[in-house]
Each structure stands twice: as C-alpha cells, then as structure tokens.
Amino acid sequence: MPHAPAFPRRYDLDWLRIIAFGLLILYHSGMFYVTWGWHVKSVHAGPEAEWAMLLLNPWRLSLLFFISGVALRFAADKLGGGKLARERSVRLGLPILFGMAIVVAPQSWLQLVESGEFSGSFWAFWPQYLDFNSDFSITTPTWNHLWYIVYLLAYTLLLAPFAGRISRLMRGPGARVTQALFAGKWGPATVLALPVLPHILYRLTLDPYFPTTHDLTNDWANHAHSLTMLMLGFVLAKDAHFWSAIRRALPAAIALVLILGIGLSAIWAQWETLSTSGEWDWIIWPARMARLAYAWIAIAALLGLAQRFLNRPSRALTYMTEAIFPWYILHQTLTVMLGYWLTRQGLPVGLEAVLVVGGTFAGCALLHELAIRRVGFLRPLFGLKPASPSGAARKANAARTV
C-alpha cells in the first residue's frame, strides 16, 4: 500500500506507555501484599492497599492496549501489513518463547514451593517445568504476566491483513464520521461516552459466561474488551477530531474520574455485603456500569494530560522507550523472587515493601543497562532491535565497501 503522509511522533504517548508499565510494576508489587490470590504472598498481606489497587485495575491494561493500537497504526502505515506481521512475529515471538522457558520459570517454582507442592531446588524443578506432561496444579510451562505480549501478537497478526484498508478508510469516509462525532460542541461528551458502549455490551453478554483466564483460547470476554481498546487506538491514532475532543474534554474527564473514583471506592469497600444482601441488588449493576465508564474516562483524562504536559522529546524518554519493554518482561519474576525471600526475614512491613518495590525497579534497571542492552544476542530475546553500530564500526564498514 502507499505510505501514509508523515505524522508527528507522539511523544506524549511514549511517556504514557512508560508510565503505564511503571504502574503495572507497582500493581504487581502490590499483589504481593493484598488478600487476593497470587503466586506468592507476604506474611504482612492484608486489605490496606486494596482500595488503590481497585482504582488502578479497571484501566491499567486497557490503556496499554489502546497505546499499542496507536503504535500499530504508525508502524502499519510505515511498513505495510505484511512487513508489520513479519517484524512483530520476531520482536514479540522471541520474548514470549524465551520468557516462558527462562524468565517466568522461577515464578512457578516458588509458587509451588510456597504451596508445598514442590520441595526441590530450581534446577530440579526446571526440567519438569519444561515438560508439557508434568502433573502440577498449575500450567507449565506458562507465560504468566507475559500474556499481554501473547495477546498483542495475536491481535497484530489478525489486524495486519486489514491495516491498509483501515488506514485508507480513516483518511477518507472515516474522517468525515469522526468529524461529525467529535468536532462539534458535543464532541467532548461524545468522546467520553461513546467508547464505553461496547464494553457495556460485553459486560452484559460475555463477562458472566467467560471469566478472565489469560490462556488465549477460552478468554473471550477479555479478548472482546482488550481487542476493542487496541482497535480504538488503531482507528483513531491519527484522527485530529478525536484528539481535539480529548483535549477539550480534559476538565470534565478529571472531574468525572474523581467523582466516580470516590463513589466506587465507597461501594467497593462494602462490596461483599452489598453483593450478598438482596436489599442492595439495585446498586450492583449500576456500579458495574459505572466501573466501565470510570475505566475509559480515566484513560481519556490521562490522554488529555499527556497531550498537555508530556508531548516533548528528551534523552530520558529516548532511553526509557527502549528500556521499558525489558523491564516489563523481567519485573514480575524479580518481585516474586525478592518477595519470597524478604518476607521470610522478619522485616517490618514498611521496610519489606520498600525493598520489594525498590529491588524490583533496581533489578530491572541494572539488568537492562548492564546486560540486555549491551549483549547482542540478548537484545532480541527482550524485544529490542539489534544495536546500532558505533561510529568507529560504521567507518570501518564504509571503508570495507569502498
């Protein structure tokens, strides 16, 4: 297909992607401390931080899928659908395979050790982990937190054959539709309300029958929500009317996020009582719909704030844009390993939490800086492009070609 006209790089979305992955690392660190089930748990686990986790949970991954859709649109317009599929199959496929075989394995080992199902060393466990016929209570080998990459690759391969047609549509008739929806005085209201509607439909028709599994094949409600967010980002990535409406909706979005967040927090604090008492049935489904609205409006508010304050390049942005994907691959294994060891040292909860969170971020930073970005064969295993040749190497290559 012909290449689309040039479009400015979205530094604001680069920053927002970094922030979203950073929040994801904090969220998974928080999973070590709340009462919900997870791979390993702190001896200090309790409900104290669950209110913050509940406020973050509705939109944290939806934001990533939306930004991924925007990035795919830019990549598809540059590469074309066929080359995009081939390039992403390698850049996402290798980290998935390497991550399942190596990076994620310690999570499964320590989960089974903590539950009493396995008592040997990691080296005794690893061959059994790689054996698809092993009879553990959990799936092995597994992708655990890498499910996002698996789903992103699957959606990319589904989208790639149609990428050119969608791009052309959005430069023609699609742009006229978005102008009608978002350009007028009702544009801010439309941009805050319209994207919620498909998620309400999924909540009513799919969510009750397909609980989230992250296993790719039986996760239909999660697929509906996640793929919709990715397609929304892809379709609207370069639509000026949409992004203008997001800017104009920012004050209302911030106000609504605060109102919905406070109201839902009060309801969630009493959710068990409300959901088991027949007297409060009238509030359950409205609260579920409000949660869906809160998720999208929070994303819209973040998109508007990023446009206003973060749409500028920097050296830190350039570095972190490359670093954040290896950090994502590494972080949960580091959290599980650090948490499992630290919580057995008798530390007070504050010190333990600081060491778990700080150790996770420090481990990601050190492993990326000292190993992954500098060792050629490691780069593609963590989703990075081959290193650019140094100035001296470029001169030597040029001399050899003369």
Side-chain angles (χ1 to χ4, degrees):
M1 77 174 198
H3 285 184
F7 198 85
R9 183 174 180 90
R10 295 298 303 271
Y11 298 109
D12 55 332
L13 296 183
D14 288 338
W15 276 118
L16 204 52
R17 176 175 174 267
I18 293 165
I19 292 168
F21 273 123
L23 290 172
L24 188 61
I25 295 173
L26 288 174
Y27 184 89
H28 285 151
S29 298
M31 285 297 294
F32 184 57
Y33 288 99
V34 294
T35 59
W36 313 326
W38 203 54
H39 308 288
V40 296
K41 302 299 293 187
S42 170
V43 296
H44 303 293
E48 291 79 11
E50 289 178 2
W51 66 272
M53 304 278 282
L54 287 168
L55 286 173
L56 186 62
N57 192 48
W59 53 265
R60 58 190 178 89
L61 284 163
S62 294
L63 174 61
L64 279 174
F65 277 113
F66 180 89
I67 295 173
S68 296
V70 174
L72 282 175
R73 173 68 178 280
F74 277 78
D77 285 353
K78 178 181 178 181
L79 302 174
K83 189 173 180 180
L84 173 68
R86 292 191 297 272
E87 191 258 357
R88 293 303 166 94
S89 293
V90 174
R91 290 195 64 188
L92 299 179
L94 284 177
I96 291 168
L97 296 175
F98 178 73
M100 290 178 65
I102 305 296
V103 178
V104 171
Q107 298 180 38
S108 298
W109 169 56
L110 291 176
Q111 180 176 347
L112 293 172
V113 168
E114 182 163 288
S115 68
E117 190 173 339
F118 189 85
S119 59
S121 69
F122 174 75
W123 302 113
F125 168 76
W126 192 41
Q128 298 179 58
Y129 168 84
L130 295 175
D131 183 357
F132 284 90
N133 295 317
S134 292
D135 189 24
F136 293 120
S137 61
I138 60 176
T139 301
T140 57
T142 184
W143 46 61
N144 277 2
H145 68 291
L146 302 183
W147 71 268
Y148 161 76
I149 310 177
V150 177
Y151 282 30
L152 181 57
L153 176 58
Y155 299 161
T156 300
L157 296 178
L158 285 173
L159 175 60
F162 311 100
R165 295 184 181 91
I166 296 172
S167 293
R168 289 191 293 273
L169 175 69
M170 293 311 299
R171 295 197 296 270
R176 293 191 288 274
V177 172
T178 59
Q179 181 178 12
L181 289 172
F182 302 129
K185 67 177 181 179
W186 294 104
T190 303
V191 85
L192 294 181
L194 189 61
V196 181
L197 299 182
H199 297 285
I200 292 176
L201 177 63
Y202 306 148
R203 184 65 184 87
L204 295 171
T205 60
L206 293 176
D207 286 18
Y209 307 104
F210 298 101
T212 298
T213 63
H214 297 155
D215 68 358
L216 186 64
T217 57
N218 297 294
D219 206 13
W220 298 111
N222 190 19
H223 281 312
H225 290 290
S226 300
L227 183 56
T228 295
M229 291 305 300
L230 182 134
M231 288 302 303
L232 188 68
F234 188 91
V235 168
L236 298 175
K238 299 184 176 182
D239 188 83
H241 308 298
F242 169 78
W243 292 107
S244 174
I246 287 288
R247 286 194 299 274
R248 291 187 290 142
L250 180 58
I254 293 173
L256 286 170
V257 165
L258 293 174
I259 293 168
L260 288 169
I262 293 169
L264 287 170
S265 292
I267 293 173
W268 289 333
Q270 303 296 325
W271 189 255
E272 185 174 350
T273 301
L274 296 175
S275 59
T276 56
S277 172
E279 299 178 6
W280 296 96
D281 287 349
W282 60 272
I283 204 172
I284 298 299
W285 275 101
R288 288 170 174 160
M289 300 303 106
R291 183 182 187 273
L292 297 173
Y294 164 76
W296 168 249
I297 295 170
I299 291 171
L302 290 168
L303 293 173
L305 288 169
Q307 278 192 87
R308 183 167 181 178
F309 297 109
L310 298 178
N311 198 15
R312 57 181 63 89
S314 75
R315 294 177 64 182
L317 176 62
T318 301
Y319 181 85
M320 287 305 302
T321 297
E322 178 189 75
I324 198 62
F325 195 58
W327 284 35
Y328 166 73
I329 294 171
L330 292 168
H331 81 275
Q332 186 164 292
T333 295
L334 292 174
T335 299
V336 168
M337 294 176 70
L338 283 167
Y340 180 87
W341 183 77
L342 285 168
T343 203
R344 286 159 173 76
Q345 307 310 308
L347 301 174
V349 61
L351 178 59
E352 181 191 290
V354 168
L355 292 175
V356 169
V357 176
T360 298
F361 277 95
C364 290
L366 290 172
L367 287 170
H368 167 255
E369 174 60 30
L370 300 179
I372 295 168
R373 71 184 296 258
R374 298 177 184 275
V375 179
F377 75 89
L378 288 178
R379 292 181 64 88
L381 299 178
F382 287 89
L384 303 183
K385 295 179 180 179
S388 300
S390 65
R394 285 195 296 269
K395 291 178 182 179
N397 290 336
R400 283 195 293 268
T401 59
V402 172

